[in-house]
Amino acid sequence: MNSTTADIVGTGEYWHAVVESAGLGVWDYNIVTGEKRYTPRWREIRKLLPSDILPSSDEEWLATVHPDDVATAKHYTEMINSGQADEVAFEYRERGRNGQWIWIMCRGRAFSRDETGRATRFVGIDTDISEMKAAEQARALAAKQVEIAVNIAGIGIWNYNIARNSATWNAQQRRIYGMPDDGIPVVGGFWENCIHPDDRDRATRETEAGSISGEDYDRDYRIVRADGDIRHIRSRISYVPDGVDGPSLVGIDWDVTRDLRQARMLEEAVKMAEQRLAQLTQVQKELEHLSRHDPLTNLPNRRALDEHLKHIATGETVIADRAFLLIDVDDFKKVNDTRGHAYGDGLLQVIADALLGQFSTWGLLVRTGGDEFLAVLETRQLVDDMMRLATESIERTRAVSRSFGYEVTVSIGIDATPATAAEMFANADRAMYRAKRMGGARALLA
């Protein structure tokens, strides 16, 4: 078969102009002789030059067809060659001169027949539909992307036609409401009946207000599905006044039940964590308090004393402007021996409270152990005033212990000379023991 390029014989200037302006590539195929004729536009569609040699056989032509389209092209070619076809119309991809694939819509019709009715000549037109196919593919891709996004996000899409009082729901919307995906339109009243009774009036009022205002609006409500499950729905609705079938409402729904449940669980978890943190903080405070305080008298202990001395020494070894008053209960062993340790503990608590009342204004009172206490006081007052304070403490101890049921006294040793903490403690200790040797119930300076 020979292929040549020439003007189509028998066409007038008018129709030739129409065909050219439409961008149609015309072909004429004599089935009997195998001769094929093409218009210049037919070549232009394939990006062919006038000098390019065209395929000389169907096999060569099919070699230029996209592999996925060969079967279709071959089928229609065989129908034309057999003379059995009256008309053909099919789409396929053909490789252009530069190797690119060109989508072609091919339409042909039998132009003449022999005495047996067999077609002997076919004419047709080819249209470049590459841009249309690209647009279709882009739309299909965009639609698929939207479908994927909608499915991943769990978005239900619906359209309610106000005039027909019916709605169309996508598959996800039906799943949200627990409905079968049968494609049957949702009749008016169904949605309202699904709304939780406590939310129904509010949701319908919001819908009516949104339709009147014509503006986009949101609504949150609950539905009760056929299985009794309560779901929380969030909607975004738009009013479309000029739809194809009249005014309509279009919207998207989210099932936010899981989000709300998780939010509540998170809120509960946060509350529990806050409560636990408060408990731990309180326990920590209690532990800190216990670590620095005597459990019997609740007075600061030796650890608290060490921290206090480090603070007032300000990094120096010598402590100035302070007085150490070492206090020891006289003959306290007799209390434990005659009344028992529980009674003795109670008496120590009473004595500690009395001493705290005397010294707390002037400084720190510490229980150093057993029946011994240490007051670290500021020495702004004179020595005579300090001796008076010590004497008052002795009398106060005598009074509260007598009221408790067993009168005791205390001996106090005082050192107000600048020195290290160990030296001041030792000096006060020696003064305290001198006071005891002198009969107790007195205060002496170191």
Side-chain angles (χ1 to χ4, degrees), residues 305 308-309 312 319 322-327 374-379 386 412-417 419-429 431 444-446:
L305 174 62
H308 180 69
L309 293 177
I312 64 176
I319 298 176
R322 294 292 189 278
F324 276 31
L325 282 71
L326 190 61
I327 308 160
L374 174 66
V376 181
L377 309 180
E378 296 182 4
T379 56
M386 195 174 301
I412 304 176
I414 306 171
D415 183 27
T417 304
T420 65
E423 291 170 343
M424 294 182 74
F425 190 92
N427 293 337
D429 185 63
L444 294 177
L445 289 171

Side-chain angles (χ1 to χ4, degrees), residues 158-162 207 210-211 217 237-240 247-251:
W158 53 269
N159 183 302
Y160 171 68
N161 186 279
I162 298 176
T207 300
S211 300
Y217 63 98
I237 302 99
S238 294
Y239 175 68
V240 181
S248 63
L249 296 173
V250 294

Side-chain angles (χ1 to χ4, degrees), residues 33-106:
T33 64
E35 183 182 10
K36 297 177 181 177
R37 296 184 180 184
Y38 307 98
T39 61
R41 177 57 186 162
W42 186 94
R43 282 179 173 269
E44 291 173 5
I45 289 174
R46 293 158 175 80
K47 308 299 188 287
L48 298 175
L49 300 176
S51 59
D52 289 333
I53 300 175
L54 303 177
S56 60
S57 66
D58 291 341
E59 289 71 18
E60 289 185 10
W61 171 68
L62 289 172
T64 66
V65 176
H66 193 284
D68 293 343
D69 303 333
V70 168
T72 299
K74 186 176 182 181
H75 168 72
Y76 285 105
T77 298
E78 291 176 349
M79 288 181 61
I80 294 173
N81 289 336
S82 66
Q84 302 301 315
D86 292 327
E87 285 187 29
V88 294
F90 61 98
E91 298 174 358
Y92 71 98
R93 282 161 290 183
E94 186 174 327
R95 188 169 50 247
R97 186 173 188 273
N98 298 323
Q100 74 277 30
W101 292 109
I102 302 169
W103 272 100
I104 295 174
M105 164 60 75
C106 178

Side-chain angles (χ1 to χ4, degrees), residues 351-362:
I351 294 172
D353 289 341
L355 294 175
L356 184 64
Q358 291 294 119
F359 296 121
S360 60
T361 304
W362 301 100

